[in-house]
Amino acid sequence: RDVRANPEALERILEADMIVMGPGSLFSSVLPNLLISDIRDAVTAAAGMKVYVCNVATQPGETDAFSASEHLEVLFEHVGAEIADYVLINRNLRARAPQDWQAHLVEVDDDLVRRQAARATSRAALAASSLVRALARMRLRSRPRPNCCAYSTAASRCCSA
C-alpha cells in the first residue's frame, strides 16, 4: 500500500526556494522520506533549488566504506537522478575522530561523483558557484569558511568554497 504525504507538506515543498535533503542516515532517514511517491514527485516538480548534502562520515552497519559517489549512486538508483540539482560534499578530511569511533570520513572520489552527477537532469539556472556563494552568505560571520564542494548536476563540475 502506498503511503500518502500530508498535503500541507507537499504544498510547502512546491513553494520552497531551496530544498535541502540530508545530511542524515541514508537508508533510515533520507531515503525513506523520498521513497514516499508524493514527496519524491513534489521534490522533483518543485521549481526551487534542490540540494543533496552528502554525509561527512559513514554509518557503521549501514554505509560502511561508502564513498561520496556510492551515496549518490544509491540515492539516484532509488529515487532518480532528477531529485537533486546540486550535491554538497565535505572536503575537510583533516578532522580528528575519537579513538573508538567506528565510522570513517566519506571519501570524495571526484571523477565518479562527476559521472554520477552527470546522470542527473537539472532545470536550475544557477551555476554551482552561485550555490556556494549563497551558502557562504548564510553562514555566520564568526565561522571559518566552509571546506566543501558543490557539484552542479547540470554542469557536472565542482565549485569549491
Side-chain angles (χ1 to χ4, degrees), residues 103-130:
H104 301 283
L105 294 174
V106 171
E107 293 292 325
V108 182
D109 45 351
D110 287 310
D111 291 336
L112 292 173
V113 168
R114 280 189 193 94
R115 277 188 242 146
Q116 285 293 344
R119 290 175 47 195
T121 57
S122 174
R123 292 173 286 120
L126 296 172
S129 59
S130 299

Side-chain angles (χ1 to χ4, degrees), residues 70-136:
E70 289 170 311
H71 279 84
L72 287 178
E73 182 180 351
V74 167
L75 179 71
F76 292 168
E77 181 181 304
H78 285 84
V79 296
E82 64 280 349
I83 201 74
D85 296 321
Y86 298 96
V87 178
L88 195 61
I89 299 173
N90 175 58
R91 290 185 165 285
N92 182 1
L93 301 178
R94 298 180 308 271
R96 283 187 295 164
Q99 267 187 319
D100 58 345
W101 200 45
Q102 294 181 359
H104 301 283
L105 294 174
V106 171
E107 293 292 325
V108 182
D109 45 351
D110 287 310
D111 291 336
L112 292 173
V113 168
R114 280 189 193 94
R115 277 188 242 146
Q116 285 293 344
R119 290 175 47 195
T121 57
S122 174
R123 292 173 286 120
L126 296 172
S129 59
S130 299
L131 173 62
V132 172
R133 282 195 301 274
L135 292 171

Side-chain angles (χ1 to χ4, degrees), residues 4-158:
R4 306 308 311 179
N6 179 310
E8 189 175 342
L10 298 174
E11 215 175 295
R12 297 300 172 259
I13 289 169
L14 291 168
E15 294 171 349
D17 293 325
M18 180 186 289
I19 300 165
V20 179
M21 297 159 282
S25 174
L26 182 62
F27 292 108
S28 57
S29 181
V30 176
L31 276 176
N33 288 294
L34 295 173
L35 288 173
I36 298 170
S37 60
D38 292 345
I39 299 287
R40 180 182 58 249
D41 294 347
V43 170
T44 302
M49 185 186 314
K50 295 174 268 292
V51 181
Y52 172 66
V53 181
C54 189
N55 286 347
V56 172
T58 61
Q59 186 173 2
E62 194 169 304
T63 56
D64 293 310
F66 267 40
S67 65
S69 68
E70 289 170 311
H71 279 84
L72 287 178
E73 182 180 351
V74 167
L75 179 71
F76 292 168
E77 181 181 304
H78 285 84
V79 296
E82 64 280 349
I83 201 74
D85 296 321
Y86 298 96
V87 178
L88 195 61
I89 299 173
N90 175 58
R91 290 185 165 285
N92 182 1
L93 301 178
R94 298 180 308 271
R96 283 187 295 164
Q99 267 187 319
D100 58 345
W101 200 45
Q102 294 181 359
H104 301 283
L105 294 174
V106 171
E107 293 292 325
V108 182
D109 45 351
D110 287 310
D111 291 336
L112 292 173
V113 168
R114 280 189 193 94
R115 277 188 242 146
Q116 285 293 344
R119 290 175 47 195
T121 57
S122 174
R123 292 173 286 120
L126 296 172
S129 59
S130 299
L131 173 62
V132 172
R133 282 195 301 274
L135 292 171
R137 281 194 302 271
M138 286 187 244
R139 77 176 191 276
L140 298 174
R141 292 187 188 273
S142 61
R143 292 202 168 159
R145 189 174 176 113
N147 190 353
C148 63
C149 181
Y151 285 89
S152 165
T153 56
S156 284
R157 68 183 181 123
C158 175

